[in-house]
Amino acid sequence: MHIIVCKDYEEMSRKAAALVAEGIQARPDGLISFPGGDTPLGMVREFVDMVNRGEVDISRTHYVSLDEWVGLSDTDEGSCGLFNRENLLSRLEKPFADVHIINGAAVNMDAERQGLDDYIEKYGPLDVSVLGIGMNGHLGFNENGVDFSLNAHIIPLSETTRKVMSKYFGDKFHPTQGISQGIRQIMAARRVILIANGAHKAEILRKAVRGPVTNEVPASVLQNHPNCYVVADEAAAALL
Ligand code: GLP
């Protein structure tokens, strides 16, 4: 793992965006993926600015979302889809070649899951997979105990995730499942960038980076990835 400690959130965001841009420059017609959540907001903003300034060309690049709450579509507040639309897609002055956003409110969720697999199969493997880390070490919705050999799947949310999720949509929704790219697809990415900020992520980041590789801390699997960058601010990296 390449561990990059940044002095603050802004530096973490700039560094992560620059690593994404490098990945795109290496394979301009590749496939990239960003997470939802609070952590990537700055990184996405930096990335969009780079694209809009003409510093990175995404005209041949494909984009796929990482995960979604089952029951939420990309118009629902707090959904990863809406995060993608508002922060990334609608702000880009020059669009991606193609985009696949998971619909967590699809009538046929198994077809939705298959569609995610098919998209990654067609345009993948991922060139750049940016990931956040959940308070329980989840990646996307690869929750504790997840089978590392899975591709896209639908999974019950852990108790920790259910506690944390109200920060995204208050009391409005009570999802019980998530749909996510699987660890197999994440591990097949040419470059993985795990971003984390804030003291509240320090303990789980320590477990992921320094602890044993175990599906009880799904992010620990990244220790086995040949090209994984951990980009963290000083607060999140404090226990590394
Ligand atoms: C959410 C998402 C993940 C995200 C993680 C961390 O539940 N499923 O994709 O990376 O939890 O979120 P945050 O960055 O808000 O801490």
Side-chain angles (χ1 to χ4, degrees):
M1 285 178 142
H2 313 285
I3 297 173
I4 301 174
V5 181
C6 302
K7 69 175 190 309
D8 54 22
Y9 180 75
E10 282 65 39
E11 190 179 305
M12 178 203 81
S13 302
R14 277 197 302 276
K15 185 68 203 169
L19 286 167
V20 173
E22 250 180 43
I24 292 173
Q25 278 146 6
R27 274 175 48 93
D29 58 350
L31 177 65
I32 72 164
S33 179
F34 294 164
D38 293 333
T39 315
L41 273 167
M43 184 272 304
V44 171
R45 192 186 55 232
E46 290 290 334
F47 176 75
V48 169
D49 288 349
M50 289 177 84
V51 174
N52 290 348
R53 286 195 301 259
E55 292 165 17
V56 52
D57 177 9
I58 58 167
S59 61
R60 290 192 292 144
T61 309
H62 298 80
Y63 178 85
V64 62
S65 61
L66 171 67
D67 59 357
E68 187 57 278
W69 309 89
V70 170
L72 269 63
S73 79
D74 65 2
T75 56
D76 288 318
E77 187 190 325
S79 69
C80 304
L82 189 62
F83 174 94
N84 276 291
R85 302 253 177 241
E86 285 186 337
N87 298 294
L88 178 65
L89 304 176
S90 69
R91 293 194 51 230
L92 286 169
E93 288 162 16
K94 300 158 193 172
F96 287 108
D98 193 53
V99 169
H100 181 93
I101 301 293
I102 303 164
N103 177 10
V107 178
N108 184 342
M109 280 307 294
D110 192 54
E112 190 64 24
R113 181 203 58 72
Q114 186 63 53
L116 179 56
D117 269 354
D118 292 347
Y119 196 84
I120 296 173
E121 177 72 25
K122 184 170 178 192
Y123 296 109
L126 288 158
D127 288 274
V128 182
S129 169
V130 183
L131 301 164
I133 182 168
M135 291 301 289
N136 57 355
H138 72 199
L139 297 176
F141 281 125
N142 290 279
E143 296 277 41
N144 317 97
V146 72
D147 180 345
F148 284 165
S149 69
L150 290 177
N151 282 325
H153 60 286
I154 293 165
I155 187 167
L157 300 178
S158 70
E159 212 176 299
T160 312
T161 300
R162 289 189 200 206
K163 278 187 196 143
V164 174
M165 71 189 183
S166 62
K167 75 170 176 168
Y168 302 116
F169 29 73
D171 225 16
K172 251 181 157 175
F173 299 106
H174 300 276
T176 57
Q177 293 180 306
I179 175 171
S180 182
Q181 292 176 24
I183 296 291
R184 184 193 286 269
Q185 290 155 327
I186 291 169
M187 289 298 281
R190 292 189 170 87
R191 169 176 282 192
V192 172
I193 304 165
L194 180 70
I195 51 176
N197 73 288
H200 63 298
K201 292 284 175 76
E203 177 57 21
I204 194 63
L205 193 63
R206 183 191 64 76
K207 285 188 181 156
V209 173
R210 303 285 182 221
V213 175
T214 164
N215 63 358
E216 283 314 311
V217 181
S220 65
V221 74
L222 297 178
Q223 292 177 39
N224 293 337
H225 192 280
N227 192 25
C228 175
Y229 292 81
V230 177
V231 187
D233 73 353
E234 281 175 3
L239 304 177
L240 297 185

